[in-house]
Amino acid sequence: MTNTLKHTDFYDNEGKPAWKAWLTTTDHKRIGLLYFYSLTVFFLVGVLLGLMMRFELISPGKDLVEAQTYNGLFTLHGVIMIFLFVIPGIPAVFGNLTLPLLLGARDVAFPKLNLLSWYLYIGGAVLALSTLLVGDGPPDTGWTFYAPYSVKTGTNVSMAVLAAFILGFSSILTGLNFLTTIHRMRCHGMTWFRMPLFAWALYATSWIQLLATPVVGITLLMIVVERWLGIGLFDPVLGGDPVLYQHLFWIYSHPAVYIMILPGMGVISEIIPTFSRRRIFGYKAIAYASLAIAFIGYFVWGHHMFTSGMSGPARIIFSILTFLVAIPSAIKVFNWLATMYNGSIDHKPPMLYALGFIFLFLVGGLSGLVVGALATDVHLHDTYFVVGHFHYVMFGGTGFAFFAALHYWFPKIFGKMYNLKHATRAFWLLFTGFNILYFPMLVVGIMGMPRRYYDYLPQFQVPNVISTIGSWITTAGLIYMIVVIVKGIRHGEKASSNPWNGLTLDWQTDSPPTKENFDAIPTVTERPYEYK
Amino acid sequence: MSTNNTVSENHSTAVNHEHRDDAGRKMGMWLFLFTELLLFGGLFLVYSIYRFMNPADFSNGSHHLDVFMGALNTMVLITSSLTVALSITAIQKGNAKLALRMLAVTILLAIFFLVNKYFEWGHKIHYDLYPGTDLFKALPSGEGLFYVLYYFMTGLHMIHVIVGAVILVFMGKYISDGSINSSNYTLLENGGLYWHLVDLIWIFLFPLLYLIH
Ligand code: HEM
């Protein structure tokens, strides 16, 4: 690119002290990085708690921790992974880093609000983690805070719930910001159907964030009020209805699982065409599928409650609706496969993670159909099958998409390149470890082992030992990947502005981009992904 | 699909970070109002379900609310919605003084609402009608739920009234220092929109709690 403007990238502090320049920044790329580093820390804390659980489960009986400690472990692990990692996850980090670049804009619509979202996120995170240290110990309800136990237990539930409320607010503001950005700030010529698919995915996600989060917000407030005032909103002894709590909770929390997965699918839709050198197959189908998933996702919450006491017809309807969600998800998978067909596929790390995503998401999605079907779910509900299922979707799906995005946009953000060979090896280690960790959970769940216990019957030991060994391999893979990334940030070779030969606008500007992203706002004349 | 004609020419000027997009700002506000509606929507849902489960208790409970006070507050809020709208029209016509006056009236009405609410709650609390007392525990469970929801919904609404009034105070400050003026008044419009929302929610709360027996 030729230009006459002064050429400093967005890392330039413009004479301010670094801490000040970062903590008061309104630049979407810097805010994205703030999210990136804080998310990574919380993710690692979550992994540590997971490792402790797996270690406890290496043999029946007590190995490492007491039963009550274990209850705290899985609750905090769940709260951290859900509210601090997967829900903000890809939108907060990679949405912030790339959305304005993808749209050809200089920033998001409300840069200051964007910074506020980050502060709310940190505030919520600190509150959530401090439940460990203050009061009567970490909450022991599971991340779902089911009433009436959550209003009766003496542990620090109120704080954790307030944390979730604040994090929800942060998520709402990010969604609001992205929606306005996408509506108002696309560059010249970028019609809706010339938008990159990641932007489409963020668009659908933002609507869910906006429309579902307030409902859980008010529900969690009700839990807090109920605990403080000793009133009976959900406690059956005082006239409340605990099943109503479950309804309200899942009215948000099921759409929330699409907050987790849709952005991941968006990332994959960017990577697959770039590394197959092919135009994406079924652009519009993928875009509409995002909206369809977001829409249908609102009507399936009941499938978490097949065993909680709902009428027969309600259960059957929820089961059928659940199967409907599989359709747009499958549309996407088939479109990705069709895109790769006859393409010249390049197995660079981002593509490997994308392929890993497709495989693991397939296992997660198909096991989802098993628990989505009423008859089988009655047997599998609250067993390790469910634990295996959601790790395949959330960790294998969203987690791997997160890593894919990291490896894909790394040269753009840092202006450098990580070591491709080592990144590839890290992928294989992580992928192998992942399956050793979670596949046995599916098996032991079918055998009948219930979730959320620190102990189990002796006949479940073999799969549990395999799974625990898998957790060590997974962790080794994660550490390997982190080392590769950190080395890349520090000593990586300088990357060109478009190392993967991508066609979307993010690749048409400098790496790292300048503060203003583009010297002149670009004009778009065709769809993205027109590879020849 | 429509081509993208919404990008204003501000974007194309080379290094102009602080562009202004009034429609975008208003869109953001509307989206935020959606989330507020859904927040109260959750409460309305809980209210309707518990009302359906305990119709007689809810009816008893609502008989004890003071319809006159409620109606008075409804009038007050509706009037305040008018005055805030007048304030916006005034600034559009360039009359900052009138705009400020109308805002002041709005804020006074908000304070009136709060004082009225204070007496209403105070009256009940005086008679021990609040969660935790022996009287309250002796109530039928449905009636207890009714009062819990009464305090919760009107309390949350009250917080919104306070927030709305504070926002309007800031609007007043911006009008007096000239940053809100006849060519740049989206901020005031957004503040007004928030105030209308506060009003609108009350218009639903009033019949739900006071009028339906
Ligand atoms: C090395 C990484 C991980 C390990 C070893 C691990 C291990 C575990 C184990 C053993 C449980 C089951 C606890 C029980 O039911 O007794 C669990 C629960 C859970 N995990 Fe993980 N996990 C890991 C990563 C993740 C990730 C990346 C996510 C999300 C993106 C996640 C989300 C959850 C959730 C939501 C629960 C349910 C908590 C509850 O029951 O309330 N985990 N994890």
Side-chain angles (χ1 to χ4, degrees):
Chain A
M1 260 193 171
T2 55
N3 70 81
T4 49
L5 288 169
K6 75 173 166 38
H7 223 107
T8 48
D9 58 44
F10 75 95
Y11 290 99
D12 184 40
N13 289 334
E14 293 170 342
K16 286 188 218 153
W19 64 269
K20 194 170 171 203
W22 278 89
L23 292 182
T24 60
T25 181
T26 54
D27 183 336
H28 66 97
K29 301 174 288 298
R30 284 184 172 223
I31 293 174
L33 279 176
L34 286 176
Y35 270 115
F36 173 63
Y37 291 120
S38 26
L39 238 88
T40 308
V41 170
F42 301 130
F43 173 72
L44 291 178
V45 175
V47 168
L48 196 70
L49 299 176
L51 271 178
M52 284 167 73
M53 281 191 285
R54 275 312 335 157
F55 196 82
E56 167 58 39
L57 294 172
I58 198 166
S59 71
K62 174 180 178 265
D63 296 301
L64 182 68
V65 295
E66 299 290 340
Q68 181 59 23
T69 318
Y70 187 87
N71 294 347
L73 282 181
F74 70 69
T75 304
L76 263 185
H77 171 78
V79 168
I80 291 177
M81 287 303 192
I82 297 277
F83 293 109
L84 298 182
F85 176 63
V86 269
I87 289 187
I90 296 176
V93 176
F94 296 103
N96 264 319
L97 282 172
T98 67
L99 180 65
L101 292 170
L102 288 168
L103 298 180
R106 299 215 183 278
D107 207 323
V108 292
F110 307 109
K112 285 183 200 146
L113 201 65
N114 206 11
L115 184 65
L116 176 68
S117 312
W118 181 74
Y119 275 104
L120 285 174
Y121 170 78
I122 291 295
V126 168
L127 204 58
L129 290 181
S130 46
T131 57
L132 267 176
L133 309 172
V134 300
D136 307 309
D140 57 351
T141 58
W143 76 276
T144 44
F145 305 117
Y146 270 15
Y149 184 63
S150 60
V151 292
K152 295 203 161 137
T153 170
T155 53
N156 228 334
V157 169
S158 302
M159 241 167 113
V161 163
L162 272 183
F165 182 82
I166 297 174
L167 292 166
F169 197 46
S170 156
S171 169
I172 287 178
L173 293 183
T174 305
L176 188 157
N177 220 335
F178 285 0
L179 281 181
T180 314
T181 308
I182 293 171
H183 270 276
R184 305 287 312 162
M185 302 188 56
R186 283 167 286 132
C187 67
H188 305 291
M190 184 170 289
T191 58
W192 282 93
F193 288 107
R194 285 186 192 158
M195 257 189 346
L197 286 164
F198 184 46
W200 266 108
L202 287 175
Y203 185 71
T205 311
S206 301
W207 273 114
I208 313 180
Q209 285 176 302
L210 207 73
L211 296 183
T213 319
V215 179
V216 82
I218 196 72
T219 310
L220 295 176
L221 272 191
M222 284 190 236
I223 289 276
V224 175
V225 171
E226 178 153 7
R227 283 178 66 88
W228 285 350
L229 299 182
I231 56 181
L233 279 169
F234 298 122
D235 185 350
V237 178
L238 299 170
D241 182 355
V243 178
L244 180 60
Y245 171 80
Q246 295 189 18
H247 277 293
L248 290 170
F249 181 81
W250 287 113
I251 284 176
Y252 162 74
S253 297
H254 196 79
V257 313
Y258 301 109
I259 298 181
M260 305 171 199
I261 198 70
L262 278 173
M265 293 169 154
V267 170
I268 304 307
S269 306
E270 295 295 318
I271 293 176
I272 299 268
T274 309
F275 289 86
S276 308
R277 316 305 312 155
R278 286 250 315 185
R279 193 162 122 194
I280 190 114
F281 185 88
Y283 171 94
K284 277 196 182 176
I286 295 183
Y288 282 131
S290 287
L291 296 180
I293 291 176
F295 182 72
I296 305 174
Y298 278 106
F299 303 103
V300 301
W301 77 85
H303 68 214
H304 295 271
M305 302 168 57
F306 284 157
T307 59
S308 306
M310 270 196 302
S311 69
R315 296 199 295 174
I316 292 169
I317 290 168
F318 275 125
S319 187
I320 293 171
L321 286 170
T322 302
F323 275 74
L324 284 184
V325 193
I327 297 172
S329 311
I331 287 177
K332 294 202 177 203
V333 174
F334 288 128
N335 278 323
W336 295 326
L337 297 182
T339 306
M340 285 188 278
Y341 180 73
N342 260 346
S344 58
I345 297 175
D346 188 357
H347 291 106
K348 294 251 170 53
M351 186 64 171
L352 281 177
Y353 278 103
L355 295 174
F357 168 96
I358 295 181
F359 178 82
L360 299 174
F361 178 69
L362 208 66
V363 178
L366 292 178
S367 61
L369 288 181
V370 177
V371 277
L374 188 49
T376 38
D377 181 66
V378 172
H379 294 279
L380 294 172
H381 182 82
D382 261 350
T383 68
Y384 258 83
F385 189 85
V386 177
V387 181
H389 153 68
F390 66 65
H391 279 99
Y392 264 97
V393 187
M394 291 195 298
F395 189 0
T398 313
F400 271 63
F402 188 91
F403 305 145
L406 175 60
H407 286 82
Y408 181 57
W409 278 301
F410 184 96
K412 178 55 53 188
I413 300 308
F414 296 104
K416 296 181 183 164
M417 188 55 99
Y418 48 85
N419 184 315
L420 293 180
K421 198 176 76 192
H422 285 294
T424 306
R425 286 190 190 154
F427 165 79
W428 283 112
L429 191 62
L430 186 59
F431 183 77
T432 315
F434 182 93
N435 285 295
I436 300 176
L437 168 57
Y438 294 115
F439 202 78
M441 290 194 189
L442 295 175
V443 176
V444 84
I446 293 177
M447 288 162 70
M449 174 168 160
R451 67 189 275 208
R452 291 180 172 170
Y453 285 97
Y454 89 130
D455 191 6
Y456 52 83
L457 297 175
Q459 66 259 38
F460 299 136
Q461 186 165 9
V462 176
N464 270 298
V465 171
I466 300 177
S467 173
T468 299
I469 294 174
S471 74
W472 300 334
I473 304 177
T474 308
T475 311
L478 285 173
I479 293 174
Y480 194 175
M481 181 183 82
I482 292 172
V483 169
V484 173
I485 293 294
V486 171
K487 276 203 165 160
I489 295 177
R490 289 224 176 141
H491 315 292
E493 278 172 39
K494 199 171 160 28
S496 70
S497 65
N498 191 1
W500 317 122
N501 296 317
L503 291 183
T504 40
L505 288 178
D506 45 338
W507 298 111
Q508 316 310 320
T509 184
D510 308 337
S511 300
T514 58
K515 191 173 173 212
E516 306 290 336
N517 291 348
F518 302 95
D519 297 330
I521 289 297
T523 302
V524 172
T525 52
E526 57 179 4
R527 279 192 181 180
Y529 324 116
E530 296 292 330
Y531 295 97
K532 301 291 163 346
Chain B
M1 280 309 288
S2 68
T3 52
N4 179 12
N5 49 17
T6 51
V7 179
S8 57
E9 52 282 8
N10 312 338
H11 289 273
S12 52
T13 49
V15 192
N16 181 2
H17 215 60
E18 300 294 328
H19 65 272
R20 209 177 102 200
D21 178 6
D22 288 344
R25 281 154 76 183
K26 252 195 239 167
M27 180 178 173
M29 192 64 199
W30 278 106
L31 291 174
F32 182 71
L33 296 185
F34 267 157
T35 70
E36 289 276 13
L37 284 180
L38 283 158
L39 191 78
F40 278 94
L43 278 173
F44 290 157
L45 187 69
V46 171
Y47 171 91
S48 11
I49 288 168
Y50 284 147
R51 167 155 213 120
F52 177 74
M53 287 162 68
N54 316 283
D57 288 346
F58 266 55
S59 165
N60 274 344
S62 66
H63 275 293
H64 291 290
L65 298 190
D66 192 335
V67 179
F68 175 74
M69 294 280 246
L72 186 63
N73 261 350
T74 311
M75 293 306 296
V76 166
L77 276 192
I78 292 180
T79 314
S80 72
S81 250
L82 172 69
T83 51
V84 86
L86 289 176
S87 168
I88 296 168
T89 313
I91 203 79
Q92 284 168 339
K93 301 219 149 114
N95 191 340
K97 210 173 194 178
L98 183 61
L100 268 178
R101 260 188 216 145
M102 284 298 140
L103 261 191
V105 176
T106 314
I107 293 166
L108 282 179
L109 288 171
I111 292 170
F112 183 87
F113 177 93
L114 290 172
V115 171
N116 198 351
K117 203 83 229 158
Y118 169 80
F119 282 117
E120 223 189 316
W121 275 35
H123 186 67
K124 291 196 183 49
I125 290 170
H126 183 71
Y127 286 107
D128 266 3
L129 194 61
Y130 60 94
T133 60
D134 293 335
L135 174 77
F136 198 87
K137 281 182 191 143
L139 288 175
S141 65
E143 223 175 305
L145 277 176
F146 177 82
Y147 286 116
V148 164
L149 284 170
Y150 164 76
Y151 281 117
F152 197 155
M153 291 158 101
T154 55
L156 191 65
H157 178 258
M158 201 153 57
I159 294 175
H160 280 76
V161 173
I162 296 170
V163 172
V166 171
I167 291 177
L168 293 182
V169 170
F170 274 96
M171 294 303 127
K173 178 173 166 281
Y174 293 140
I175 294 179
S176 16
D177 70 19
S179 47
I180 293 180
N181 53 49
S182 59
S183 61
N184 184 6
Y185 48 80
T186 321
L187 208 54
L188 183 62
E189 280 181 313
N190 279 349
L193 278 175
Y194 189 83
W195 191 254
H196 292 320
L197 173 95
V198 171
D199 185 16
L200 185 75
I201 288 173
W202 179 259
I203 290 176
F204 281 87
L205 287 180
F206 176 56
L208 280 183
L209 294 170
Y210 293 75
L211 295 184
I212 315 177
H213 287 319

